[in-house]
Amino acid sequence: TIIDAIIDLTAIDAGAMELRLERVDIPATLQTVGERLAAAIDKRDLTLNIEVAADATSFIADPKRIEQILTNLLSNAIGFSAAGSTIRMGARLLGGTVQFWVSDNGRGIDPEFQKRVFERFQSRPVPGGHRGPGLGLTIVKSFVELHEGQVSLHSKVNQGTTVLCTFPINGPRQQAGS
């Protein structure tokens, strides 16, 4: 997984990453990602609530990359959540965009570290907690921006973290029609 992330980032840096755009079924994608991580959710005694607005049915994007984005975000939420807590993942339409979110009520991120969380190899060890190589949020940001979208993070220490990813509903302009 780490090697794949480095290869993906290298391809993006070189301008060689091409999106394979198609209509993405939003509820099915969220369900697939939730099912993919069900064992980790159960192991940590967590609850996953998937919340999809009735009008958030589909959009144009690369389905593989959207799943990677959501898998990275949900993996982080699982890793930083206390046993017995609830994670929320969902989507809604906002004007000409679709916004996905993953939200936990875990330990949150220190304000000074929040500025660096999307940079490569930024990882903060947490006693008894999740720690990866610091590529997950970098991949998220890179893939969201490749779709001409935006990513933001809202976090408060000991209150949790929400990551929002917003995409143009009709796909990126640069690859429209491909």
Side-chain angles (χ1 to χ4, degrees):
T1 303
I2 295 168
I3 292 169
D4 288 342
I6 291 170
I7 291 170
D8 286 341
L9 289 170
T10 302
I12 291 168
D13 288 349
M17 174 70 68
E18 289 188 28
L19 298 175
R20 289 179 168 72
L21 300 176
E22 59 184 77
R23 185 152 299 280
V24 175
D25 182 319
I26 294 169
T29 300
L30 290 167
Q31 190 67 37
T32 296
V33 170
E35 289 170 0
R36 181 177 298 140
L37 295 172
I41 291 166
D42 291 343
K43 182 178 181 181
R44 300 279 317 255
D45 189 31
L46 301 170
T47 300
L48 174 63
N49 288 343
I50 297 177
E51 306 161 1
V52 184
D55 61 352
T57 56
S58 67
F59 75 119
I60 303 299
D62 183 325
K64 177 182 177 185
R65 303 311 178 187
I66 298 302
E67 285 186 20
Q68 279 182 275
I69 289 165
L70 294 170
T71 297
N72 280 330
L73 294 178
L74 186 54
S75 293
N76 279 352
I78 291 166
F80 290 109
S81 292
S85 62
T86 298
I87 297 169
R88 296 174 46 240
M89 178 171 69
R92 63 180 162 240
L93 295 187
L94 293 171
T97 67
V98 59
Q99 184 175 71
F100 289 88
W101 70 87
V102 176
S103 182
D104 65 64
N105 54 6
R107 56 185 57 107
I109 302 169
D110 294 326
E112 69 275 358
F113 189 66
Q114 288 181 34
K115 298 174 184 111
R116 298 190 321 268
V117 296
F118 292 106
E119 295 174 11
R120 292 178 193 188
F121 306 110
Q122 292 298 315
S123 182
R124 185 161 272 188
V126 178
H130 176 78
R131 180 165 195 255
L135 292 173
L137 290 177
T138 302
I139 288 281
V140 166
K141 184 176 191 284
S142 295
F143 284 153
V144 170
E145 290 177 350
L146 198 57
H147 281 87
E148 296 178 6
Q150 296 179 330
V151 62
S152 61
L153 177 137
H154 305 282
S155 186
K156 291 189 178 181
V157 175
N158 298 321
Q159 294 182 27
T161 301
T162 299
V163 180
L164 302 164
C165 299
T166 306
F167 300 89
I169 199 160
N170 294 317
R173 289 180 313 271
Q174 66 185 14
Q175 294 191 12
S178 26

